[in-house]
Amino acid sequence: MSHIESVRLTDEQTLVILDQTLLPGETTYNTLRTKEDVFNAIVALQVRGAPAIGIAAAYGAYVELARHSYASVDDLTRYFYEVKAYLAASRPTAVNLVWALERLEQVVVQSWSSVEELLLALREEAEEIRREDARVCEAIGRHALALLPHDAGILTHCNAGGIATAKYGTALAPLFLGKEAGYSFRVYADETRPLLQGARLTAWELQQADIDVTLICDNMSSIVMQQGKVDAILVGCDRVAANGDTANKIGTSGLAIIAKHYGIPFYVCAPTSTIDVACLTGAEIEIEERNGAEITDTWYEKPMAPAGVKTYNPAFDVTDHSLITAIITENGVLYPDENGQFEVRQHVEV
Ligand code: MRU
């Protein structure tokens, strides 16, 4: 498959990201040099999607650490914790962000004889997080593909594609792999209000890959399911709780409820980096609330709503585990037990 890289570390110790807010009209790459650059790019969703945020945070921490000098390893270690706390606060829901920074922390806590040696090890760990994510996404794609008929109608929400990860995506990975293997999927992409990740990013990525994609508004998902156009729903996720409750882009839980009504399988594609076993149920997942202007002012030159109207703009919702047919990780497909309970572990055994 042709591959568009959304996050890259350069030899000049900078981070280059594809600005996802400008797609599909413009393919612009931004160079990030400081922790503030990285923080702002994550908040603005220039880099977005749970795994891509994790990669950007790991690279971003390294880039920030590498641009200063230190009197000692202890000095560098102290600054690492400051940078970690700063970047971890950029977005609250996707656990991959903290997970990636904790991977770097595991490196920092080892014993190092020089600042240079530690910096090199941090760079290598950040690179490994990216390489690993590409392998993980490919494995998710292979497991998911095995569940799908050759000519399946698929509905997806938001964007869990290649640009939201290192490569392949999670929910879109089986579609890219299926294309290579001669499958002829028909994909329905929800536009995904308010920021249109489905319209701007998923429809664009699938078109680029020459996969049959039809864009629908969010409120059309019930009719396409009712009309028998959808054989399976595939979504990504931002955090999976220990009981299988799953946070993903706002609107996902509604889709799962409708899918249950029509008896359509609802699959959550989840790298184990998105699993948070410390979080017992979905009720403990922090839901990011974003600026109401995203609802009232974003897509026309003039405001789209009356001035001063109250807004509520949660960026994610939690899908109850009882609505999920299976969670597909790089290690395989996890189904609920006979009581409808998931037992999710970091290294899910299936
Ligand atoms: O707010 P976003 O665009 O970062 O939300 C992204 C999603 O909800 C994705 O489905 C999720 O992060 C999985 S990306 C593989």
Side-chain angles (χ1 to χ4, degrees):
M1 68 178 259
S2 74
H3 167 50
I4 301 146
E5 209 167 34
S6 58
V7 192
R8 183 166 55 87
L9 189 62
T10 69
D11 291 342
E12 292 74 43
Q13 325 281 36
T14 62
L15 170 53
V16 172
I17 58 152
L18 170 65
D19 186 343
Q20 297 190 38
T21 63
L22 302 177
L23 289 171
E26 247 181 70
T27 308
T28 298
Y29 290 88
N30 297 339
T31 300
L32 313 180
R33 297 188 165 81
T34 66
K35 66 179 190 308
E36 288 79 13
D37 288 350
V38 177
F39 183 96
N40 293 334
I42 292 174
V43 170
L45 309 193
Q46 289 174 357
V47 56
R48 52 147 297 282
I53 295 171
I55 297 163
Y59 279 161
Y62 167 73
V63 161
E64 173 66 21
L65 295 169
R67 75 192 187 94
H68 297 283
S69 35
Y70 306 90
S72 64
V73 170
D74 282 351
D75 221 21
L76 168 55
T77 301
R78 262 190 300 277
Y79 192 47
F80 166 78
Y81 283 106
E82 197 181 314
V83 172
K84 176 181 175 235
Y86 177 77
L87 290 176
S90 55
R91 290 193 81 189
T93 306
V95 73
N96 307 60
L97 178 65
V98 173
W99 171 88
L101 292 165
E102 282 173 355
R103 285 267 304 249
L104 296 192
E105 185 176 352
Q106 292 311 309
V107 173
V108 169
V109 296
Q110 293 165 32
S111 85
W112 299 100
S113 49
S114 72
V115 163
E116 293 68 31
E117 202 183 32
L118 173 51
L119 281 174
L120 206 62
L122 286 171
R123 181 178 173 116
E124 180 47 31
E125 186 66 3
E127 288 284 30
E128 181 51 24
I129 289 170
R130 181 187 53 79
R131 288 191 294 260
E132 199 178 282
D133 187 59
R135 294 194 295 270
V136 159
C137 289
E138 185 174 6
I140 289 173
R142 297 213 178 282
H143 292 305
L145 191 59
L147 302 173
L148 303 171
H150 271 245
D151 58 352
I154 305 288
L155 178 67
T156 189
H157 191 65
C158 193
N159 173 267
I163 56 176
T165 64
K167 195 175 177 183
Y168 299 106
T170 57
L172 300 194
L175 308 182
F176 295 128
L177 296 176
K179 176 74 188 174
E180 282 172 1
Y183 284 56
S184 48
F185 294 129
R186 291 163 290 108
V187 184
Y188 291 88
D190 277 354
E191 63 175 350
T192 316
R193 281 278 290 153
L195 295 178
L196 304 184
Q197 289 93 331
R200 295 186 303 101
L201 309 176
T202 297
W204 174 76
E205 273 199 77
L206 294 177
Q207 245 189 9
Q208 301 267 317
D210 200 23
I211 293 170
D212 179 342
V213 57
T214 304
L215 178 64
I216 59 171
C217 299
D218 297 327
N219 48 6
M220 297 169 189
S221 57
S222 178
I223 194 169
V224 294
M225 287 192 238
Q226 187 187 44
Q227 290 172 341
K229 294 182 159 100
V230 179
D231 299 297
I233 296 179
L234 292 171
V235 293
C237 59
D238 289 80
R239 196 180 292 240
V240 181
N243 72 340
D245 292 350
T246 295
N248 190 48
K249 178 52 57 190
I250 190 73
T252 302
S253 69
L255 275 186
I257 292 165
I258 300 169
K260 183 104 176 173
H261 178 77
Y262 292 117
I264 296 168
F266 186 90
Y267 296 117
V268 173
C269 297
T272 52
S273 55
T274 308
I275 293 171
D276 182 4
V277 283
C279 192
L280 298 183
T281 74
E284 293 176 22
I285 300 176
E286 186 181 345
I287 300 294
E288 175 182 9
E289 199 178 323
R290 294 183 63 89
N291 194 324
E294 289 180 350
I295 302 177
T296 56
D297 287 61
T298 306
W299 300 112
Y300 298 120
E301 276 167 24
K302 293 193 174 146
M304 297 150 42
V309 70
K310 281 198 289 182
T311 56
Y312 174 49
N313 186 17
F316 300 93
D317 59 22
V318 173
T319 300
D320 193 87
H321 63 275
S322 62
L323 302 167
I324 297 172
T325 307
I327 299 173
I328 305 170
T329 78
E330 67 271 29
N331 299 329
V333 183
L334 180 70
Y335 291 95
D337 64 19
E338 62 280 7
N339 303 313
Q341 300 304 311
F342 280 98
E343 243 190 273
V344 181
R345 308 216 188 292
Q346 193 72 47
H347 297 285
V348 188
E349 280 160 35
V350 288

